[in-house]
Amino acid sequence: MHKPVSVAVVGLGYWGPNIVRNLQELPEAEVVAVCDMRESALAKTAQRYPSVKQLRSFAQVLEDDSIEAVAIATPVSTHFELASAALAAGKHVFVEKPLAASAEEALSLLGLADESDRVLMPGHTFLYSPPVNAVRDIIQNGDLGEIYFISTSRVNLGLHQSDVSVAWDLGPHDFSILRYWLEETPHYVSTMSRSCVLPGIPDVAFINLEFPSGAIAHAELAWLAPSKLRRTTVVGSQKMVVYDDTSNEPVRIFDTGVDLPDPETFGEYRLSYRTGEIVSPYVKPAEPLYLELQDFCASVREGSVPRSSSLLGYEVVRMIEAVEESINSGGARVAIDQLGAIPRAA
Amino acid sequence: MHKPVSVAVVGLGYWGPNIVRNLQELPEAEVVAVCDMRESALAKTAQRYPSVKQLRSFAQVLEDDSIEAVAIATPVSTHFELASAALAAGKHVFVEKPLAASAEEALSLLGLADESDRVLMPGHTFLYSPPVNAVRDIIQNGDLGEIYFISTSRVNLGLHQSDVSVAWDLGPHDFSILRYWLEETPHYVSTMSRSCVLPGIPDVAFINLEFPSGAIAHAELAWLAPSKLRRTTVVGSQKMVVYDDTSNEPVRIFDTGVDLPDPETFGEYRLSYRTGEIVSPYVKPAEPLYLELQDFCASVREGSVPRSSSLLGYEVVRMIEAVEESINSGGARVAIDQLGAIPRAA
Amino acid sequence: MHKPVSVAVVGLGYWGPNIVRNLQELPEAEVVAVCDMRESALAKTAQRYPSVKQLRSFAQVLEDDSIEAVAIATPVSTHFELASAALAAGKHVFVEKPLAASAEEALSLLGLADESDRVLMPGHTFLYSPPVNAVRDIIQNGDLGEIYFISTSRVNLGLHQSDVSVAWDLGPHDFSILRYWLEETPHYVSTMSRSCVLPGIPDVAFINLEFPSGAIAHAELAWLAPSKLRRTTVVGSQKMVVYDDTSNEPVRIFDTGVDLPDPETFGEYRLSYRTGEIVSPYVKPAEPLYLELQDFCASVREGSVPRSSSLLGYEVVRMIEAVEESINSGGARVAIDQLGAIPRAA
Amino acid sequence: MHKPVSVAVVGLGYWGPNIVRNLQELPEAEVVAVCDMRESALAKTAQRYPSVKQLRSFAQVLEDDSIEAVAIATPVSTHFELASAALAAGKHVFVEKPLAASAEEALSLLGLADESDRVLMPGHTFLYSPPVNAVRDIIQNGDLGEIYFISTSRVNLGLHQSDVSVAWDLGPHDFSILRYWLEETPHYVSTMSRSCVLPGIPDVAFINLEFPSGAIAHAELAWLAPSKLRRTTVVGSQKMVVYDDTSNEPVRIFDTGVDLPDPETFGEYRLSYRTGEIVSPYVKPAEPLYLELQDFCASVREGSVPRSSSLLGYEVVRMIEAVEESINSGGARVAIDQLGAIPRAA
């Protein structure tokens, strides 16, 4: 077994403490320091983990040679500055999703990681969720046939962000899952949205995504909803799947479809509809964040590309940017270039 | 009480027999004839209603002076020809939705009805559905506050049409309901769709609708789905409503919302989320088609404008046309003119 | 193919017209007459089926030699008199469940059928329900392992009977299903009940049934409930099944159980719980009453024993009688003799 | 504000650490010591709460004068010995449910508490659950009218106990809730059960409870079930309530019932069924264990009788004993005496 990766966790807001807890439980990692400007946040951690260093400035993190890697859980607007400084200081970097506040920033980070030969990994936690992987397996092994379309709803009441739209807040979840399932980036997106509560902050968005393969996807994202909904339907030519993260049966496979025999004489089509059994496979529960941080440690020690790769993180940021561009231009259909030469570090 | 309206039902396919049955039960109407080209269809009706005339040609309907009104339940492509001939022959006309195959045709019919001073009524049955009216009442009386957005899913497996898209097939339901609830026609629509099974026949559509008031609506329509879904969410500034036609509790009112106090110093917003009780009002069941045909008879005898008015039918056709235009132009945002002078007959 | 069985339907209340309709659609049968004392009931049928004889007295049915069989859908209290007279007149008899108002009456009918060599068949319609048969198949093929217990709820609001308890009204459904699934009659029953609304008419009953195999079953029956419930859970040593007649997925199979390894030293037990996939098999819909009447015709023409046999009908009446005896003795545990020599006609 | 109650938590198995955590968060209490025979259990607590004394023997707890109260979370068989010793040593006692392993033991404890003038409180946590209290309020304010019957299911897969029946394990939950809601103890109970997996350990029980007021209740308890169920229906003469602890809407009130007008001439009854709106009141979440321990502290400092009183705990044990007696006598109906003189300490 490798020596544990020594990590500093930067940012102890909502998510940071979860990272600390999971790293503590992980044999492959060791939390050597936490960093936050707020005394109160540090004090809380100190009480739980008295042996962990409490650092008030990020410079201290950078200077500390005992720290091999940083896990950044600060607001999105700071990701670029912190991550690039950490890479420049020779640290491996795990950064919460989205990877950066713009595609330009994200691309810079990929370049820096490449130059410094360090790991750069965005925290797209859903890629480590057991139901998401169960659905990916079903798609990959061809059970669904051709993917016709995907429709997803991710809505609940709150929490409005004061600086970014619902697309920046909730979009990374669905965009990363779609990229992971379909292994392609949409070439067109368009979005209808509205800023219902706060002026200039879209809190509901209906997002269309068109993929090169012909698959289309629709994502409804909202901070305003009568009840929490996490429901994704994948319709294939052979079978269909419903993935619902709030259900006791998160994955349901429907042996349902439509068969198209050869057109008969006179060009008439006769379709036959097939309704078969419905199966809820058993999906063994596991904490995605634990698996994600394990993957980070493996990529640090073994040089492997993490499932939540920097390339995927970059693509997600490009998708969000295109969505924002569509919103800002009244719902226009916005093209996304397909990447040609892919940065090596991805 | 008025003398019953004498009606001929034209077209005995899937829906026509339901019209016959409801007219038979209605004291305000009398079915004097049925008309279909197919002997087998006529024979079936003859067995049940031996006293009703069996007519093989529409000309016989037009010539028969004992017939005051016709109810047309034939394919959409024939609506214009049959309805215009019936109006020209001095008959009142009830025609299944959509009113006609194009806005141009629909407008002609409105003109003909106006000239001949006859009733022209499209059969938007959902306008007579008790849950739809319960929701309308809640919207109209202001309980929901400002309508922020509406999201609706109308999906199931089948039945593919061989000549029209899913928008022409399922769209009239949602478009008529939205028009009825919001009392306005969208000024922009855009649609992402795909022809998954039959080439050139879109069988899934994600439709955006933007209304002059600021309200936006999204409709997901599909003939491909793992299970039947009929779910509409109306999000208002005060409360929210879920309308589900497949549920034992078709209307649920959520006392849920977000309150925005005056911005505090330094421009910071502090939102408070409100989660209150959920009420499923008792909605007395009734057969919408019965109520619809009753409204038709009243408009014939009393000159009233039916709830499912020809104007509403015209607007629905304009919405479908705009959706089709968006589909045909790759998802572009298509404008719909707001009607100025409204044809009198509406 | 055999000549159709000529049937007279006796009793045109709630259920009788359904029997008439299904017999009419059945190639194996012909409705030659209907019989009811009420003119209004006859008139309604006459309108629909003008060629069917309208008889006002049961004596006319008995005397009519063109009638081979009678289907009796009158109140339970009249079953014995009508069925025994019909058997005596040489008619085959289909009689709505329960077979008779007492075990003594039921046994007499079995004897009469035996003597006259005529078919006597009670209408336990659930034995022809596709989901009930799907569950029976799963039980019979051993998939569930040993049946540990069955728990069932059959509750809704209304309809109170003015002369019999909820056990006589709803009990036949569950008792016939349990007899059909388990192929045994309980040897003990006990019941806690209450007459909530009408004095002396129990409208809620909690019924315990103990079977010779060791299986136990519990049935909750009520005319008072906030919502309709039709839910039966079958727990076996290998798998478990939920049967819900109100659901789109009426049968769900849970690969769930508990495994008991050999006791370890010191007599400690270590159980391991197994949670596997859940399967909703596709159950093809069919009208149970149609299949039931088809079975009746087959038994008339071919001498086969119908699935809903007179013996099963007799056993169901014995179960209800024992339940009533328990109710009348304050909830005592009442024994039911296991039948030795079974009447031949069963 | 009072000085915090200094508490020692005895038993650090499954539940003990929850008690420690809640007491730590409670301003009214202070955990001064934990006690367990197992080093590993103590070590785990020591890591989290380094300032709390780690005691290996209960004798040390008794001798420690800085400990005012003990919270006992050990196996039921030890409750009596530990609680009586603690009371004898002048400590206040909180003891996990059930209060003791027999009614005799429980009564002794009540006597000891009375003599020593110390608080004795069993931990019937559900009495502090917000939905349970919402239902109690509805019952107490008369909204439901007369309580006709209550039907409850508490089933899931596992966890079999090796020494006690499912009635001892799950019964205290429902019995304490019923006692709290109805404010009476049943005078008769009967139970059908089966030991499906382990010989002599009933793992499914159907329990009947008859109350002096006329109300009846049925509880289905099982460690064998395809899915977790926590569903209680309360049927009253005016309204009905469903309480489901696993639902987002844990309390639902149905304005549903049956109205019985005066009997008409000829003794005929005409019932009318009422189906009205369904309301899910908002129930503010709170941790019941926190509220429960707060109540314990209040009773220690202020001398108040806790909601989960020793008398209620005693009654619950009497109910379980009667259920066990019924099980052991093959399902007989077992009487429970109504308490006359109630021990003062309750």
Side-chain angles (χ1 to χ4, degrees), chain C residues 231-253:
Chain C
R231 194 180 194 272
T232 303
T233 304
V234 184
V235 173
S237 59
Q238 299 300 324
K239 291 188 176 185
M240 308 180 183
V241 165
V242 173
Y243 156 52
D244 183 342
D245 217 40
T246 66
S247 168
N248 289 332
E249 300 175 28
V251 178
R252 308 202 73 210
I253 308 165

Side-chain angles (χ1 to χ4, degrees), chain D residues 140-151:
Chain D
Q140 294 290 316
N141 68 19
D143 273 7
L144 303 190
E146 182 190 353
I147 303 302
Y148 284 153
F149 64 91
I150 296 177
S151 174

Side-chain angles (χ1 to χ4, degrees), chain B residues 69-70 72 83 86-87 91-95 118-122 296:
Chain B
V70 296
I72 299 171
L87 289 169
K91 316 290 191 198
H92 299 282
V93 172
F94 172 91
V95 59
R118 286 296 174 269
V119 171
L120 171 68
M121 173 176 170
F296 176 64

Side-chain angles (χ1 to χ4, degrees), chain C residues 51-135:
Chain C
S51 63
V52 169
K53 286 185 217 168
Q54 318 292 323
L55 306 180
R56 269 141 213 84
S57 91
F58 190 60
Q60 293 174 281
V61 174
L62 298 179
E63 288 158 13
D64 188 330
D65 284 346
S66 74
I67 296 170
E68 290 177 274
V70 298
I72 299 170
T74 57
V76 180
S77 57
T78 67
H79 284 186
F80 175 69
E81 192 185 333
L82 298 180
S84 55
L87 288 169
K91 315 290 191 199
H92 299 283
V93 172
F94 172 91
V95 60
E96 259 320 303
K97 71 190 163 340
L99 177 54
S102 72
E104 196 186 343
E105 284 183 3
L107 192 58
S108 287
L109 290 180
L110 264 69
L112 282 168
D114 193 16
E115 284 166 26
S116 60
D117 202 21
R118 287 296 174 269
V119 171
L120 170 68
M121 175 176 167
H124 287 292
T125 315
F126 270 105
L127 271 49
Y128 299 88
S129 145
V132 166
N133 281 282
V135 175

Side-chain angles (χ1 to χ4, degrees), chain D:
Chain D
M1 170 138 176
H2 295 287
K3 189 172 150 287
V5 178
S6 60
V7 188
V9 177
V10 182
L12 296 171
Y14 166 66
W15 195 242
N18 290 329
I19 295 178
V20 174
R21 174 173 56 80
N22 275 279
L23 286 172
Q24 285 284 32
E25 291 170 6
L26 202 61
E28 293 93 335
E30 185 188 9
V31 181
V32 292
V34 291
C35 175
D36 200 297
M37 291 176 300
R38 295 161 304 170
E39 281 297 332
S40 61
L42 287 173
K44 228 170 171 176
T45 314
Q47 191 184 2
R48 275 230 164 136
Y49 310 103
S51 62
V52 170
K53 285 184 216 167
Q54 319 294 322
L55 307 180
R56 268 140 214 86
S57 91
F58 190 61
Q60 294 174 283
V61 175
L62 298 179
E63 289 157 14
D64 190 331
D65 284 346
S66 73
I67 297 170
E68 290 178 275
V70 297
I72 299 171
T74 57
V76 180
S77 56
T78 67
H79 284 185
F80 175 70
E81 193 186 331
L82 299 180
S84 55
L87 290 169
K91 316 290 191 197
H92 299 283
V93 173
F94 172 90
V95 59
E96 260 319 304
K97 71 188 160 339
L99 177 54
S102 71
E104 196 187 342
E105 284 183 4
L107 193 58
S108 287
L109 290 181
L110 264 68
L112 283 168
D114 194 16
E115 285 166 27
S116 61
D117 202 20
R118 285 297 173 268
V119 171
L120 172 68
M121 173 175 170
H124 287 291
T125 316
F126 271 104
L127 270 51
Y128 299 86
S129 145
V132 165
N133 281 282
V135 175
R136 178 172 149 114
D137 289 348
I138 298 161
I139 292 175
Q140 294 290 316
N141 68 19
D143 273 7
L144 303 190
E146 182 190 353
I147 303 302
Y148 284 153
F149 64 91
I150 296 177
S151 174
T152 187
S153 292
R154 185 179 299 274
V155 304
N156 50 247
L157 186 65
L159 292 172
H160 281 75
Q161 310 284 313
S162 58
D163 51 348
V164 296
S165 73
V166 74
W168 273 103
D169 184 41
L170 302 181
H173 299 310
D174 293 297
F175 297 165
S176 63
I177 292 171
L178 289 169
R179 182 80 182 49
Y180 181 52
W181 282 353
L182 300 178
E183 298 192 334
E184 55 180 342
T185 298
H187 49 182
Y188 292 103
V189 304
S190 61
T191 301
M192 176 176 70
S193 74
R194 185 174 179 189
S195 302
C196 301
V197 175
L198 297 177
I201 306 290
D203 40 22
V204 55
F206 299 95
I207 302 173
N208 296 322
L209 305 152
E210 300 169 57
F211 291 85
S213 66
I216 60 176
H218 181 269
E220 174 183 8
L221 307 178
W223 290 323
L224 289 168
S227 52
K228 189 177 174 177
L229 225 62
R230 298 277 180 275
R231 194 179 193 273
T232 303
T233 304
V234 184
V235 173
S237 60
Q238 300 301 323
K239 291 188 178 186
M240 307 181 184
V241 165
V242 173
Y243 156 51
D244 183 343
D245 215 40
T246 67
S247 168
N248 288 331
E249 300 175 28
V251 178
R252 309 202 72 211
I253 308 165
F254 293 71
D255 184 11
T256 291
V258 50
D259 299 319
L260 177 63
D262 288 332
E264 302 194 356
T265 28
F266 307 112
E268 195 157 313
Y269 288 102
R270 296 194 176 275
L271 301 180
S272 76
Y273 295 93
R274 177 169 38 80
T275 307
E277 71 177 14
I278 305 167
V279 176
S280 302
Y282 177 67
V283 180
K284 203 181 165 181
E287 182 159 6
L289 181 53
Y290 183 93
L291 300 174
E292 182 181 54
L293 292 167
Q294 198 168 39
D295 198 16
F296 175 64
C297 293
S299 65
V300 167
R301 281 289 175 264
E302 298 160 26
S304 54
V305 175
R307 186 183 300 164
S308 177
S309 70
S310 57
L311 174 60
L312 187 143
Y314 172 52
E315 292 290 64
V316 168
V317 172
R318 295 208 308 143
M319 290 163 78
I320 303 173
E321 271 199 349
V323 164
E324 291 284 317
E325 188 183 331
S326 177
I327 290 175
N328 293 332
S329 59
R333 195 162 165 244
V334 171
I336 304 181
D337 294 337
Q338 296 295 303
L339 288 183
I342 293 166
R344 197 199 68 91

Side-chain angles (χ1 to χ4, degrees), chain B residues 16-334:
Chain B
N18 290 330
I19 295 177
V20 175
R21 175 173 56 79
N22 276 279
L23 286 173
Q24 284 285 31
E25 291 171 7
L26 202 59
E28 293 92 336
E30 184 188 9
V31 181
V32 292
V34 292
C35 174
D36 200 297
M37 292 174 299
R38 295 160 303 169
E39 281 297 333
S40 61
L42 287 173
K44 226 169 172 178
T45 315
Q47 191 184 2
R48 273 231 164 136
Y49 311 103
S51 62
V52 169
K53 285 186 219 168
Q54 318 294 323
L55 305 181
R56 267 142 214 85
S57 90
F58 190 59
Q60 293 174 284
V61 174
L62 298 179
E63 289 157 14
D64 190 332
D65 284 347
S66 74
I67 296 170
E68 290 178 275
V70 296
I72 299 171
T74 57
V76 179
S77 57
T78 67
H79 284 186
F80 175 69
E81 192 186 332
L82 299 180
S84 55
L87 289 169
K91 316 290 191 198
H92 299 282
V93 172
F94 172 91
V95 59
E96 261 317 306
K97 70 187 160 341
L99 176 53
S102 72
E104 197 188 342
E105 284 184 2
L107 192 59
S108 287
L109 289 180
L110 264 68
L112 282 169
D114 193 16
E115 285 165 27
S116 61
D117 203 20
R118 286 296 174 269
V119 171
L120 171 68
M121 173 176 170
H124 287 292
T125 317
F126 270 105
L127 271 49
Y128 299 86
S129 145
V132 166
N133 280 282
V135 175
R136 179 174 148 111
D137 289 349
I138 298 162
I139 292 174
Q140 294 290 318
N141 68 21
D143 273 8
L144 303 189
E146 182 190 354
I147 303 302
Y148 283 153
F149 65 92
I150 297 178
S151 174
T152 186
S153 292
R154 185 177 300 274
V155 304
N156 50 248
L157 186 65
L159 294 172
H160 280 74
Q161 311 284 312
S162 59
D163 52 349
V164 297
S165 73
V166 73
W168 272 104
D169 183 42
L170 302 181
H173 299 310
D174 292 299
F175 297 165
S176 62
I177 292 172
L178 289 170
R179 183 78 182 48
Y180 181 51
W181 282 353
L182 299 178
E183 296 193 335
E184 56 179 341
T185 297
H187 51 182
Y188 292 104
V189 304
S190 60
T191 301
M192 177 177 67
S193 74
R194 186 174 180 189
S195 300
C196 301
V197 176
L198 297 177
I201 306 289
D203 41 21
V204 56
F206 298 95
I207 301 172
N208 296 324
L209 306 152
E210 300 170 56
F211 291 86
S213 67
I216 60 175
H218 182 266
E220 174 182 9
L221 307 178
W223 290 324
L224 289 168
S227 53
K228 189 178 175 176
L229 226 62
R230 298 277 180 273
R231 193 177 194 274
T232 303
T233 303
V234 184
V235 173
S237 61
Q238 300 301 323
K239 290 188 179 186
M240 308 182 183
V241 165
V242 174
Y243 156 51
D244 182 344
D245 215 41
T246 66
S247 167
N248 289 332
E249 300 175 29
V251 178
R252 309 202 72 209
I253 308 164
F254 293 71
D255 184 11
T256 291
V258 51
D259 300 320
L260 177 62
D262 289 333
E264 302 195 356
T265 27
F266 306 112
E268 197 157 311
Y269 288 102
R270 296 193 176 276
L271 300 179
S272 75
Y273 296 93
R274 177 172 35 82
T275 306
E277 71 177 14
I278 305 166
V279 176
S280 301
Y282 177 67
V283 180
K284 203 181 166 182
E287 183 159 3
L289 181 52
Y290 183 92
L291 301 173
E292 182 182 54
L293 293 167
Q294 198 168 41
D295 198 18
F296 176 64
C297 293
S299 65
V300 168
R301 281 289 174 265
E302 297 160 28
S304 54
V305 175
R307 186 183 301 165
S308 176
S309 70
S310 57
L311 175 61
L312 186 143
Y314 172 53
E315 292 289 64
V316 168
V317 172
R318 296 208 309 143
M319 291 162 78
I320 303 174
E321 270 199 349
V323 164
E324 291 285 317
E325 189 184 332
S326 177
I327 290 175
N328 293 332
S329 60
R333 194 162 165 243
V334 172

Side-chain angles (χ1 to χ4, degrees), chain A residues 137-165:
Chain A
D137 289 347
I138 297 162
I139 291 175
Q140 293 290 319
N141 68 22
D143 274 9
L144 303 188
E146 183 190 352
I147 302 303
Y148 284 153
F149 65 90
I150 297 177
S151 174
T152 187
S153 292
R154 184 178 299 275
V155 305
N156 49 248
L157 186 66
L159 292 174
H160 280 73
Q161 310 286 310
S162 59
D163 52 350
V164 296
S165 73

